[in-house]
Amino acid sequence: MHSFSRAFQSDLEDLMRWRRDVRRFRSDPVDEALLQECLDAFLLAPSVGLSEPWRVIRVESDAARAAALDNFTEANDDALQGYSGDKAQLYAGLKLSGMQDAPVQLAVFSDEGTAKGAGLGAATMPEMRRYSVVSAIMLFWLAVRARGLGLGWVSILDPARLSRDLGVPANWELVGYFCLGWPETVDDSPELEHAGWEARRGSLPIETR
């Protein structure tokens, strides 16, 4: 088994620490060759039964972007209604999407009906296809960050509505909507932590059975 140097291990830990969910982007365009380098990380990802169920849609047209932004705005307004008092005030002040600024926007789906992989490993746990997509997204995220770019995961959306608006096949399940571009600033701690929404754990709780 090949092992990596301590310097590489330290750099990898730094990369994971500095991987952040970015919501504030500069308007500078992203070079297509650089973007493709990042997207190629999907090809290195593990997947159940080698099914490679990820399906990536670039959201570029004004109509598609407007529909996605309207979707987020309505879902975010609905989410605000679930809070009250100080928590509602704090939520209302959070920036939870970079959709108005990010030059690159991607919708990533899991093809739940793919024939690739012949169902291996997914018969008892079909959700493994979506887990595989999440694994691919994380490799993509690290590739993006390593090149100085930022990625933001927008989860406050109606997935069925977005699927209809983008006209994807019925057996594709939305995993995430992503904003990508050059970040305004970089930080090694979550923006939600800075805002006082929640604190990150300092240690991992492990139970034994």
Side-chain angles (χ1 to χ4, degrees):
M1 178 69 73
H2 177 68
S3 62
F4 293 90
S5 69
R6 292 296 300 172
F8 178 89
Q9 294 172 41
S10 177
D11 287 345
L12 178 59
E13 185 175 342
D14 283 344
L15 177 59
M16 291 188 288
R17 179 178 295 110
W18 285 88
R19 180 220 56 80
R20 294 269 61 86
D21 194 344
V22 175
R23 303 184 182 96
R24 303 174 193 277
F25 296 93
R26 306 199 314 256
S27 59
D28 314 45
V30 176
D31 180 75
E32 282 295 318
L34 181 60
L35 175 61
Q36 190 58 56
E37 281 183 17
C38 297
L39 288 168
D40 283 346
F42 276 84
L43 303 176
L44 302 176
S47 63
V48 63
L50 282 180
S51 57
E52 297 181 310
W54 38 80
R55 305 290 181 263
V56 181
I57 300 288
R58 273 186 84 165
V59 183
E60 291 196 320
S61 71
D62 291 343
R65 289 199 176 193
L69 181 58
D70 286 347
N71 188 333
F72 164 78
T73 300
E74 290 186 24
N76 195 44
D77 289 344
D78 288 343
L80 176 59
Q81 304 311 309
Y83 299 101
S84 60
D86 292 343
K87 206 67 170 179
Q89 185 175 359
L90 181 56
Y91 184 94
L94 295 174
K95 182 174 174 59
L96 297 175
S97 147
M99 297 168 78
Q100 291 178 304
D101 307 307
V104 179
Q105 298 184 31
L106 308 168
V108 181
F109 294 83
S110 172
D111 183 351
E112 300 294 293
T114 182
K116 194 172 190 301
L120 192 156
T124 52
M125 294 182 65
E127 63 271 24
M128 285 299 298
R129 295 189 184 95
R130 272 165 278 173
Y131 297 161
S132 297
V133 176
V134 173
S135 296
I137 289 167
M138 186 51 63
L139 292 192
F140 173 60
W141 209 326
L142 294 176
V144 164
R145 183 63 193 91
R147 289 160 175 80
L149 291 160
L151 190 72
W153 189 327
V154 182
S155 60
I156 306 170
L157 290 164
D158 178 338
R161 174 178 167 182
L162 186 70
S163 295
R164 289 193 302 270
D165 288 339
L166 295 180
V168 302
N171 58 353
W172 288 17
E173 294 289 337
L174 180 70
V175 175
Y177 190 97
F178 297 90
C179 297
L180 185 152
W182 300 104
E184 284 186 354
T185 59
V186 293
D187 205 315
D188 66 348
S189 56
E191 186 172 336
L192 290 178
E193 194 166 41
H194 287 295
W197 183 263
E198 190 56 89
R200 184 185 284 275
R201 284 193 178 103
S203 60
L204 175 67
I206 301 176
E207 297 185 17
T208 302
R209 295 290 188 270

